[in-house]
Amino acid sequence: MTYRDKRLAHALHNEKVCNQLSNIGGCGDWVITTAFYSALHFVTSKIFPLQYPDFENENQIYNTFEAFFDKGIIKKSKHDVLHILVKKKCGEIAPEYRMLLDICKNSRYFEYEQCSDMVSVSKKSFKKIKDHCNP
């Protein structure tokens, strides 16, 4: 199974969990979180393999996000690095990706009890990301 196939399978798995949690109700923070991580896997499947110059090679090919991140070309957190790549390679969905990332962080760490109003926003952002990335 290729990296892309693995990412797509993981994206679809997380989307399934997201839908099941959405049907249960009362788990808005986890609906948002699973939507974001599904989106994350969709965008990595879209972006990689990636040709990106590094310190030694103008045409370096990175087959996985992990290999790219480990090279340390962009000195930021994993989420920030992936967002930068989304802006460069999938600019039309970068605002939705950033919004979903921010809503996810907020719902997981600060406002889990009050995030139900953000579920529909998250789902709309996720749908746009999935539609853009899914073959």
Side-chain angles (χ1 to χ4, degrees):
M1 184 178 279
T2 67
Y3 180 80
R4 180 177 174 79
D5 292 339
K6 288 178 186 177
R7 296 290 62 83
L8 286 173
H10 205 156
L12 294 170
H13 167 76
N14 286 353
E15 181 183 16
K16 179 180 174 183
V17 172
C18 179
N19 292 334
Q20 289 173 343
L21 290 171
S22 187
N23 291 336
I24 291 171
C27 302
D29 56 332
W30 284 105
V31 171
I32 292 166
T33 299
T34 52
F36 169 71
Y37 281 100
S38 182
L40 179 147
H41 290 298
F42 276 119
V43 298
T44 55
S45 76
K46 177 81 172 173
I47 294 171
F48 289 88
L50 171 69
Q51 183 175 333
Y52 199 97
D54 67 11
F55 309 111
E56 298 134 12
N57 186 341
E58 286 290 318
N59 297 312
Q60 182 65 40
I61 301 289
Y62 296 93
N63 290 315
T64 68
F65 173 74
E66 296 75 17
F68 180 83
F69 182 79
D70 289 346
K71 190 70 172 187
I73 296 168
I74 303 172
K75 305 278 189 221
K76 302 245 181 209
S77 72
K78 281 187 172 184
H79 286 303
D80 289 340
V81 169
L82 187 53
H83 181 246
I84 290 166
L85 293 176
V86 169
K87 286 193 297 189
K88 288 182 181 225
K89 298 297 181 180
C90 304
E92 56 274 16
I93 59 164
E96 287 78 14
Y97 187 82
R98 182 78 227 185
M99 182 186 308
L100 195 51
L101 171 61
D102 291 343
I103 292 170
C104 179
K105 283 182 181 179
N106 192 47
S107 71
R108 283 184 299 152
Y109 297 115
F110 305 111
E111 303 291 338
Y112 82 93
E113 294 173 321
Q114 299 159 349
C115 66
S116 60
D117 57 333
M118 298 308 293
V119 169
S120 64
V121 173
S122 299
K123 285 183 170 183
K124 286 178 187 171
S125 294
F126 168 74
K127 181 171 179 3
K128 186 169 181 182
I129 293 165
K130 178 184 176 184
D131 290 347
H132 175 81
C133 296
N134 202 19

